[in-house]
Amino acid sequence: MPPLNMSPREILAKLVSFPTVSRDSNLPLIDWVESYLQSHGVESKRVPNEDGSKASLYAVIGPKVPGGVVLSGHTDVVPVDGQDWSSDPWVLEERGGRLYGRGAVDMKGFDALALAAVPLALKAGIKRPLMIALSYDEELGCEGCRGMVEEMAATLPAPEAVIVGEPSMMKVVTGHKGGTAFKVHLKGFEVHSSIMHTGVNAIMEAAKLISWANEKNAENRERVPGPVGAAFVPPWTTVHVGTISGGTAHNITAGDCHMGLDFRVVPGEDLDDWVAAAEAKVAEVRAEMQAVRPEADIVLDRYFTVPPLVPEPGGAAEALMRRLTGDNASHVVSYGTEAGHFQRNGWSAAVCGPGDIDQAHKADEYIEVAQFEAGWAFMQRVVGQLSE
């Protein structure tokens, strides 16, 4: 059983010690968090993945009434393979006013602060609930939180606000782009390249999809952005191909080609419209391939979808976080977070957390001690609000 009186930094050190790389299980960390909550008399609920190798966890501290606050974070981290670290990435180390360790900023720093707020909330006798929500596989496309968010929305009283603690330097982020991605497998037909017209070159057919992506980017760049999209950088929906592989030899038409295709869609545009446009282009190219060889094909595997976080002018989450931080500026980001899933399920959400996203995913990842302390002061203000 974890010690009762752990400081936020001690909790962070413990969380960092679990190597919860997304490709691996996060259950040892979830076991520890469950024990930590039990040590304070708080029951929690796990929401496992299909094979039981990973789980999300949520808990309610205080009365189960409307108007609470959700503190949402993910437990998974990116790999350290091939990175040149100056210290053990799984041991929290302070150097020069910084706390180093994998996940220190993205986003076990916020997770630690949320857990440290539990005994504070119990002692304060809060009148509205503090909810903890910890997910898995955020780094693989924000998919791991979906079951947990849906279950929470179906069974718990609606909170006033969901605070997704991605590192934002404690600024209030009220909007982000939505996103989805496909693994694309083009199945061609191999013949000698001297008679290439009798075969189907999967790589050259993939080039048609890449050309389509470039055309859409050019069109989007030239379009005058809407009032919501104008706040983003870039202020338009992007279509991206980041990986491609295939072929057997230079003198053989490629029998296979694998590529990635992803979209980052500005709020105000429909993500499903972009999916439909991609599927239509794939159908067009597939028909051309099958006109030569009927067995040729294109297979789309849509492996994640992140709903956009649409700004809620005057929304409850934004208003609460502005009161707690004093930040009245407008901030949006082009990367996705789990906030969109909460919002899609009817809960007001925004992003606010300690640390700089620029430090995430790198060797020698760190969070500034000053930012960690600012995050702790923020948590104390959250508890204060729930006590009123």
Side-chain angles (χ1 to χ4, degrees), residues 2 7 77 96 139 207 210 257 377 383:
S7 69
V77 296
E139 299 291 1
I210 296 172
C257 181
V383 171

Side-chain angles (χ1 to χ4, degrees), residues 257-322:
C257 181
H258 296 267
M259 58 178 275
L261 179 67
D262 67 74
F263 300 82
R264 294 184 185 270
V265 180
V266 294
E269 294 184 14
D270 193 326
L271 192 61
D272 289 338
D273 288 346
W274 280 102
V275 171
E279 290 173 340
K281 184 62 182 181
V282 164
E284 175 188 318
V285 176
R286 181 190 291 119
E288 294 172 354
M289 295 165 66
Q290 292 179 343
V292 179
R293 297 296 311 194
E295 59 267 60
D297 200 4
I298 305 177
V299 178
L300 288 177
D301 175 15
R302 187 177 180 182
Y303 65 97
F304 80 78
T305 300
V306 180
L309 176 63
V310 182
E312 308 168 14
E318 177 182 342
L320 173 66
M321 285 185 239
R322 293 202 187 285

Side-chain angles (χ1 to χ4, degrees), residues 35-240:
S35 296
Y36 170 85
L37 292 172
Q38 286 175 347
S39 74
H40 292 286
V42 175
E43 294 301 314
S44 57
K45 176 69 183 298
R46 294 190 186 203
V47 183
N49 66 349
E50 289 185 3
D51 65 12
S53 62
K54 301 177 183 180
S56 295
L57 176 147
Y58 67 91
V60 179
I61 299 89
K64 289 187 177 181
V65 298
V69 171
V70 178
L71 302 177
S72 168
H74 62 82
T75 63
D76 59 316
V77 296
V78 298
V80 298
D81 307 34
Q83 294 185 336
D84 185 17
W85 282 74
S86 302
S87 57
D88 188 335
W90 311 115
V91 176
L92 190 71
E93 181 175 308
E94 180 176 354
R95 302 194 305 271
R98 298 171 176 175
L99 298 172
Y100 289 86
R102 173 56 87 223
V105 74
D106 186 22
M107 59 179 297
K108 291 179 177 179
F110 180 85
D111 295 347
L113 294 168
L115 292 172
V118 170
L120 193 67
L122 291 169
K123 184 178 180 180
I126 53 177
K127 298 176 182 178
R128 292 177 288 133
L130 179 71
M131 305 180 194
I132 306 294
L134 301 178
S135 69
Y136 64 89
D137 282 3
E138 190 273 347
E139 299 291 1
L140 300 181
C142 297
E143 287 293 292
C145 75
R146 292 180 65 176
M148 175 182 66
V149 172
E150 290 167 1
E151 184 172 311
M152 292 176 71
T155 62
L156 299 179
E160 177 183 7
V162 178
I163 302 173
V164 177
E166 292 284 357
S168 69
M169 296 295 287
M170 299 309 303
K171 295 177 181 177
V172 181
V173 174
T174 58
H176 64 62
K177 292 185 177 182
T180 195
F182 294 91
K183 297 175 183 177
V184 185
H185 179 196
L186 295 97
K187 302 176 181 179
F189 189 84
E190 290 187 339
V191 298
H192 193 279
S193 60
S194 64
I195 52 170
M196 61 179 289
H197 66 290
T198 65
V200 176
N201 189 317
I203 292 176
M204 296 182 74
E205 298 301 323
K208 296 177 182 178
L209 299 181
I210 296 172
S211 179
W212 175 82
N214 285 329
E215 290 168 4
K216 292 303 173 184
N217 284 326
E219 292 172 8
N220 291 348
R221 185 193 296 266
E222 293 302 316
R223 188 178 297 123
V224 177
V228 177
F232 288 84
V233 179
W236 38 275
T237 292
T238 56
V239 188
H240 179 250

